[in-house]
């Protein structure tokens, strides 16, 4: 049995590919229009022919150097986007082929937080490598914060790289 692929984000080159595809589509449409014009199906002047005539008349100008530098920088951006590695979108459970979304790990953390005896309610949120637990209690907030962190850390221990746990405990007066 082969291991599952790791879940990764969409490549950074996707926007570059979309822009390139649109540009090639427009260039192809202009070529088709010129072919139809050459066959006398479409009236008017050839777009590529008139563009070639205008290019012949262009003389070096001051704006061409910055435009060339900009073109090189855009090309480098395209190259970097194509070679940039993709980040994983989920967290691996142990060394297995099982992956869990950060949102689901936050749900596990919320379950562990509500299992702590003095916690009235708990909500969680997950970022890239961090889970934040917001809890409400009626007892000592500092002690509950330590219990929460221990309970959540224990619940998320099977993860290959457990996230950082941040706790916020609010004391509710009764």
């Amino acid at each position: 049995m082969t291991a599952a692929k790791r879940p990764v984000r969409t490549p950074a080159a996707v926007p570059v590919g979309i822009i390139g595809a649109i540009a090639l589509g427009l260039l192809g449409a202009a070529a088709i229009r010129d072919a139809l014009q050459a066959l006398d199906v479409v009236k008017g002047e050839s777009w590529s022919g008139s563009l070639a005539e205008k290019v012949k008349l262009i003389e070096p100008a001051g704006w061409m150097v910055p435009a060339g530098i900009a073109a090189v920088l855009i090309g480098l951006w395209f190259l970097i986007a194509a070679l940039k590695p993709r980040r994983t979108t989920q967290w691996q459970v142990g060394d297995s082929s099982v992956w869990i979304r950060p949102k689901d790990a936050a749900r596990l953390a919320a379950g562990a937080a509500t299992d702590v005896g003095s916690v009235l309610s708990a909500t969680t949120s997950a970022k890239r490598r961090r889970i934040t637990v917001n809890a409400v209690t009626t007892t000592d907030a500092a002690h509950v914060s330590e219990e929460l962190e221990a309970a959540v850390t224990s619940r998320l221990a099977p993860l290959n790289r457990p996230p950082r746990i941040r706790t916020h405990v609010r004391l509710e007066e009764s």
Side-chain angles (χ1 to χ4, degrees):
M1 181 177 357
T2 61
K5 293 182 180 180
R6 30 176 229 139
V8 290
R9 287 184 181 247
T10 303
V14 167
V16 174
I18 291 171
I19 291 168
I22 290 171
L24 283 175
L26 293 174
L27 190 62
I32 289 172
R33 191 248 179 226
D34 279 354
L36 292 174
Q37 188 273 331
L39 295 171
D40 288 331
V41 175
V42 175
K43 304 288 183 215
E45 191 176 335
S46 168
W47 290 349
S48 58
S50 64
L51 181 63
E53 290 298 320
K54 288 179 183 175
V55 169
K56 284 182 188 177
L57 301 175
I58 293 179
E59 295 180 11
W63 62 267
M64 291 182 177
V65 171
I69 292 171
V72 167
L73 291 176
I74 290 170
L76 284 174
W77 176 62
F78 285 178
L79 183 63
I80 289 169
L83 298 176
K84 185 177 176 183
R86 300 187 290 171
R87 285 193 331 208
T88 57
T89 57
Q90 299 179 18
W91 299 340
Q92 187 175 17
V93 178
D95 291 330
S96 66
S97 297
V98 177
W99 296 81
I100 185 172
R101 296 180 304 174
K103 180 168 62 171
D104 295 327
R107 289 178 182 153
L108 286 173
T114 55
D115 288 345
V116 173
S118 56
V119 172
L120 299 175
S121 65
T123 58
T124 56
S125 63
K127 298 287 183 193
R128 185 160 184 252
R129 294 299 316 160
R130 181 182 71 218
I131 290 183
T132 304
V133 180
N134 297 306
V136 178
T137 186
T138 56
T139 61
D140 180 25
H143 179 68
V144 171
S145 180
E146 291 173 8
E147 285 183 33
L148 273 176
E149 190 163 344
V152 171
T153 300
S154 173
R155 179 70 54 94
L156 298 178
L159 293 176
N160 191 16
R161 289 180 43 209
R164 291 182 319 227
I165 309 298
R166 181 180 289 172
T167 59
H168 299 287
V169 179
R170 185 171 52 96
L171 188 60
E172 184 176 278
E173 301 295 325
S174 48

